[in-house]
Coordinates of all heavy atoms in Angstrom, one line a residue:
I111 N 13.0 16.7 13.1 CA 11.5 16.6 13.3 C 10.9 16.0 12.1 O 11.4 15.9 11.0 CB 10.9 18.0 13.6 CG1 11.1 18.9 12.3 CG2 11.5 18.7 14.8 CD1 10.5 20.3 12.5
A112 N 9.7 15.4 12.4 CA 8.9 14.8 11.3 C 8.4 15.9 10.4 O 8.2 17.0 10.8 CB 7.7 14.0 11.9
P113 N 8.3 15.5 9.1 CA 7.8 16.5 8.1 C 6.4 17.0 8.4 O 5.6 16.2 9.0 CB 7.9 15.8 6.8 CG 7.9 14.3 7.1 CD 8.6 14.2 8.5
E114 N 6.1 18.2 8.1 CA 4.7 18.7 8.3 C 4.0 18.8 6.9 O 4.6 19.3 5.9 CB 4.8 20.1 8.9 CG 5.4 20.1 10.3 CD 5.5 21.4 11.0 OE1 5.3 22.4 10.2 OE2 5.9 21.5 12.2
F115 N 2.8 18.3 6.9 CA 2.0 18.3 5.6 C 0.5 18.1 6.0 O 0.2 17.6 7.1 CB 2.5 17.2 4.7 CG 2.5 15.8 5.3 CD1 1.3 15.0 5.2 CD2 3.6 15.3 6.0 CE1 1.3 13.7 5.7 CE2 3.5 14.1 6.6 CZ 2.4 13.3 6.4
Q116 N -0.3 18.4 5.0 CA -1.7 18.2 5.2 C -2.1 16.8 4.6 O -1.7 16.5 3.5 CB -2.5 19.3 4.5 CG -2.4 20.7 5.1 CD -3.0 20.7 6.5 OE1 -4.0 20.2 6.8 NE2 -2.3 21.4 7.4
L117 N -2.9 16.1 5.4 CA -3.2 14.8 4.9 C -4.1 14.9 3.7 O -5.0 15.7 3.6 CB -4.0 14.0 6.0 CG -3.2 13.2 7.0 CD1 -4.1 12.7 8.1 CD2 -2.4 12.1 6.4
P118 N -3.9 14.0 2.7 CA -4.8 13.9 1.5 C -6.2 13.3 1.9 O -6.3 12.7 3.0 CB -4.1 13.0 0.6 CG -3.3 12.1 1.4 CD -2.9 12.9 2.6
D119 N -7.1 13.5 1.0 CA -8.4 12.9 1.3 C -8.3 11.4 1.1 O -7.8 10.9 0.1 CB -9.4 13.4 0.2 CG -10.8 12.8 0.4 OD1 -11.1 12.3 1.5 OD2 -11.5 12.7 -0.7
Y120 N -8.7 10.6 2.1 CA -8.7 9.2 2.0 C -10.0 8.6 2.3 O -10.2 7.4 2.7 CB -7.6 8.6 3.0 CG -7.7 9.1 4.4 CD1 -8.6 8.5 5.3 CD2 -7.0 10.2 4.9 CE1 -8.7 8.9 6.7 CE2 -7.1 10.6 6.2 CZ -7.9 10.0 7.1 OH -8.0 10.4 8.4
E121 N -11.1 9.3 2.2 CA -12.4 8.8 2.5 C -13.0 7.9 1.4 O -13.7 7.0 1.6 CB -13.4 10.0 2.7 CG -13.2 10.7 4.1 CD -13.4 9.7 5.2 OE1 -14.4 8.9 5.2 OE2 -12.6 9.7 6.2
K122 N -12.6 8.2 0.1 CA -13.1 7.4 -1.0 C -11.9 7.2 -1.9 O -11.5 8.1 -2.7 CB -14.2 8.1 -1.8 CG -15.5 8.3 -1.0 CD -16.6 8.9 -1.8 CE -17.9 9.1 -1.0 NZ -19.0 9.7 -1.8
I123 N -11.3 6.0 -1.8 CA -10.1 5.7 -2.6 C -10.5 4.8 -3.8 O -11.0 3.6 -3.6 CB -9.1 4.9 -1.7 CG1 -8.7 5.8 -0.5 CG2 -7.9 4.6 -2.5 CD1 -7.8 5.2 0.5
P124 N -10.4 5.3 -5.0 CA -10.7 4.4 -6.2 C -9.7 3.3 -6.4 O -8.5 3.5 -6.5 CB -10.7 5.4 -7.3 CG -9.7 6.5 -6.9 CD -9.8 6.6 -5.4
V125 N -10.2 2.1 -6.5 CA -9.4 0.9 -6.7 C -10.0 0.1 -7.8 O -11.2 -0.2 -7.8 CB -9.2 0.1 -5.4 CG1 -8.6 -1.2 -5.7 CG2 -8.4 0.9 -4.4
E126 N -9.2 -0.4 -8.7 CA -9.6 -1.2 -9.8 C -8.8 -2.5 -9.8 O -7.6 -2.5 -9.8 CB -9.4 -0.5 -11.1 CG -10.1 -1.2 -12.3 CD -10.0 -0.3 -13.6 OE1 -10.9 0.5 -13.8 OE2 -9.0 -0.5 -14.3
V127 N -9.5 -3.7 -9.8 CA -8.9 -5.0 -9.8 C -9.6 -5.9 -10.7 O -10.8 -5.7 -11.1 CB -8.9 -5.6 -8.3 CG1 -8.1 -4.8 -7.4 CG2 -10.4 -5.8 -7.9
P128 N -8.9 -7.0 -11.2 CA -9.6 -7.9 -12.1 C -10.5 -8.8 -11.3 O -10.3 -9.1 -10.1 CB -8.4 -8.7 -12.6 CG -7.3 -8.6 -11.6 CD -7.5 -7.3 -11.0
R129 N -11.6 -9.2 -11.9 CA -12.5 -10.2 -11.3 C -11.8 -11.4 -11.0 O -10.9 -11.9 -11.7 CB -13.7 -10.5 -12.2 CG -14.7 -9.3 -12.2 CD -16.0 -9.8 -12.9 NE -15.8 -10.2 -14.3 CZ -15.8 -9.3 -15.3 NH1 -16.1 -8.1 -15.1 NH2 -15.6 -9.7 -16.5
N130 N -12.1 -12.1 -9.9 CA -11.5 -13.3 -9.4 C -12.1 -14.5 -10.2 O -13.0 -15.1 -9.6 CB -11.6 -13.5 -7.9 CG -10.6 -14.6 -7.4 OD1 -10.1 -15.3 -8.2 ND2 -10.5 -14.7 -6.1
E131 N -11.7 -14.7 -11.4 CA -12.3 -15.7 -12.2 C -11.2 -16.7 -12.6 O -10.1 -16.4 -12.8 CB -12.9 -15.2 -13.5 CG -14.0 -14.2 -13.3 CD -14.5 -13.6 -14.6 OE1 -13.8 -13.7 -15.6 OE2 -15.6 -13.0 -14.6
V132 N -11.6 -18.0 -12.6 CA -10.7 -19.0 -13.1 C -11.3 -19.7 -14.3 O -12.4 -20.3 -14.2 CB -10.4 -20.1 -11.9 CG1 -9.5 -21.2 -12.4 CG2 -9.8 -19.4 -10.7
S133 N -10.5 -19.7 -15.4 CA -11.1 -20.3 -16.6 C -10.7 -21.7 -16.7 O -9.8 -22.2 -16.1 CB -10.5 -19.5 -17.8 OG -9.1 -19.8 -17.9
D134 N -11.5 -22.4 -17.5 CA -11.2 -23.9 -17.8 C -9.8 -24.0 -18.4 O -9.1 -25.0 -18.1 CB -12.3 -24.5 -18.7 CG -13.6 -24.6 -18.0 OD1 -13.7 -24.5 -16.8 OD2 -14.6 -24.7 -18.7
E135 N -9.4 -23.0 -19.2 CA -8.1 -23.1 -19.8 C -7.0 -23.1 -18.8 O -6.0 -23.8 -18.9 CB -7.9 -21.9 -20.8 CG -6.6 -22.0 -21.6 CD -6.5 -20.8 -22.5 OE1 -7.4 -20.0 -22.6 OE2 -5.4 -20.6 -23.1
Q136 N -7.1 -22.3 -17.8 CA -6.1 -22.2 -16.7 C -6.0 -23.6 -16.0 O -4.9 -24.0 -15.7 CB -6.5 -21.1 -15.7 CG -6.3 -19.7 -16.2 CD -6.8 -18.7 -15.2 OE1 -8.0 -18.5 -14.9 NE2 -5.9 -18.0 -14.5
I137 N -7.2 -24.2 -15.7 CA -7.2 -25.5 -15.1 C -6.5 -26.5 -15.9 O -5.7 -27.4 -15.5 CB -8.6 -25.9 -14.7 CG1 -9.2 -24.9 -13.7 CG2 -8.7 -27.3 -14.2 CD1 -10.7 -25.2 -13.4
E138 N -6.8 -26.5 -17.2 CA -6.2 -27.5 -18.2 C -4.7 -27.3 -18.2 O -3.9 -28.2 -18.3 CB -6.8 -27.3 -19.6 CG -8.2 -27.8 -19.7 CD -8.4 -29.2 -19.2 OE1 -7.6 -30.1 -19.6 OE2 -9.3 -29.4 -18.4
D139 N -4.2 -26.0 -18.1 CA -2.7 -25.8 -18.1 C -2.1 -26.4 -16.9 O -1.0 -27.0 -17.0 CB -2.5 -24.3 -18.1 CG -2.8 -23.6 -19.5 OD1 -2.8 -24.3 -20.5 OD2 -2.9 -22.4 -19.5
V140 N -2.7 -26.4 -15.8 CA -2.2 -27.0 -14.6 C -2.2 -28.5 -14.7 O -1.2 -29.2 -14.4 CB -3.0 -26.6 -13.3 CG1 -2.5 -27.3 -12.1 CG2 -2.9 -25.1 -13.1
L141 N -3.3 -29.0 -15.3 CA -3.3 -30.5 -15.5 C -2.2 -31.0 -16.5 O -1.6 -32.0 -16.3 CB -4.7 -30.9 -16.0 CG -5.9 -30.9 -15.0 CD1 -7.2 -31.1 -15.7 CD2 -5.6 -31.9 -13.9
K142 N -2.0 -30.2 -17.5 CA -0.9 -30.5 -18.4 C 0.4 -30.5 -17.8 O 1.3 -31.3 -18.1 CB -1.0 -29.5 -19.6 CG -2.1 -29.8 -20.6 CD -2.1 -28.8 -21.7 CE -3.3 -29.0 -22.6 NZ -3.4 -28.0 -23.7
R143 N 0.7 -29.6 -16.8 CA 1.9 -29.6 -16.1 C 2.1 -30.8 -15.3 O 3.1 -31.4 -15.1 CB 2.1 -28.3 -15.3 CG 2.3 -27.1 -16.1 CD 2.8 -25.9 -15.2 NE 1.9 -25.5 -14.2 CZ 1.0 -24.5 -14.5 NH1 0.9 -24.0 -15.7 NH2 0.1 -24.1 -13.5
M144 N 0.9 -31.2 -14.6 CA 1.0 -32.5 -13.9 C 1.3 -33.7 -14.8 O 2.0 -34.6 -14.5 CB -0.4 -32.7 -13.2 CG -0.7 -31.8 -12.1 SD -2.4 -32.1 -11.4 CE -2.4 -31.0 -10.0
Q145 N 0.7 -33.6 -16.0 CA 0.9 -34.7 -17.0 C 2.4 -34.7 -17.4 O 3.0 -35.8 -17.4 CB 0.0 -34.4 -18.2 CG 0.1 -35.5 -19.3 CD -0.6 -35.0 -20.6 OE1 -0.6 -33.8 -20.9 NE2 -1.3 -35.9 -21.2
Q146 N 3.0 -33.6 -17.6 CA 4.4 -33.5 -18.0 C 5.3 -34.1 -16.8 O 6.2 -34.8 -17.1 CB 4.8 -32.0 -18.2 CG 4.2 -31.4 -19.5 CD 4.9 -31.8 -20.7 OE1 6.0 -32.4 -20.7 NE2 4.3 -31.6 -21.9
N147 N 4.9 -33.7 -15.6 CA 5.7 -34.2 -14.5 C 5.6 -35.7 -14.3 O 6.6 -36.3 -13.7 CB 5.2 -33.6 -13.2 CG 5.5 -32.1 -13.1 OD1 6.4 -31.6 -13.8 ND2 4.8 -31.3 -12.3
Q148 N 4.6 -36.4 -14.8 CA 4.4 -37.8 -14.7 C 4.9 -38.5 -16.0 O 4.6 -39.7 -16.1 CB 3.0 -38.2 -14.4 CG 2.5 -37.6 -13.0 CD 3.3 -38.2 -11.9 OE1 3.6 -39.4 -11.8 NE2 3.6 -37.4 -10.9
A149 N 5.4 -37.8 -16.9 CA 5.8 -38.4 -18.2 C 7.0 -39.4 -18.0 O 7.8 -39.3 -17.1 CB 6.3 -37.3 -19.2
E150 N 7.0 -40.4 -18.9 CA 8.1 -41.4 -18.9 C 8.9 -41.2 -20.2 O 8.3 -40.7 -21.2 CB 7.5 -42.8 -18.9 CG 6.8 -43.2 -17.5 CD 6.3 -44.6 -17.5 OE1 6.5 -45.3 -18.6 OE2 5.8 -45.0 -16.5
F151 N 10.2 -41.5 -20.1 CA 11.0 -41.3 -21.2 C 11.6 -42.7 -21.6 O 12.2 -43.4 -20.8 CB 12.2 -40.4 -20.9 CG 11.7 -39.0 -20.7 CD1 11.3 -38.5 -19.4 CD2 11.6 -38.1 -21.7 CE1 10.9 -37.3 -19.2 CE2 11.2 -36.8 -21.5 CZ 10.8 -36.4 -20.2
V152 N 11.3 -43.1 -22.9 CA 11.8 -44.4 -23.4 C 12.8 -44.3 -24.4 O 12.8 -43.3 -25.2 CB 10.6 -45.2 -23.9 CG1 9.6 -45.5 -22.8 CG2 9.9 -44.5 -25.0
D153 N 13.8 -45.2 -24.5 CA 14.8 -45.1 -25.5 C 14.3 -45.4 -26.9 O 13.4 -46.2 -27.1 CB 15.9 -46.1 -25.2 CG 16.7 -45.8 -23.9 OD1 16.9 -44.5 -23.7 OD2 17.1 -46.7 -23.1

Side-chain angles (χ1 to χ4, degrees):
I111 61 176
E114 297 179 350
F115 56 91
Q116 292 295 320
L117 275 174
D119 177 27
Y120 53 84
E121 284 303 314
K122 293 182 179 180
I123 302 176
V125 169
E126 191 173 272
V127 295
R129 284 192 297 273
N130 192 351
E131 297 176 346
V132 176
S133 67
D134 292 340
E135 184 181 356
Q136 288 176 288
I137 295 173
E138 290 306 311
D139 286 343
V140 176
L141 286 172
K142 286 177 181 177
R143 288 198 294 273
M144 291 181 175
Q145 182 189 38
Q146 292 280 347
N147 291 337
Q148 296 298 317
E150 294 183 357
F151 294 88
V152 296
D153 291 325

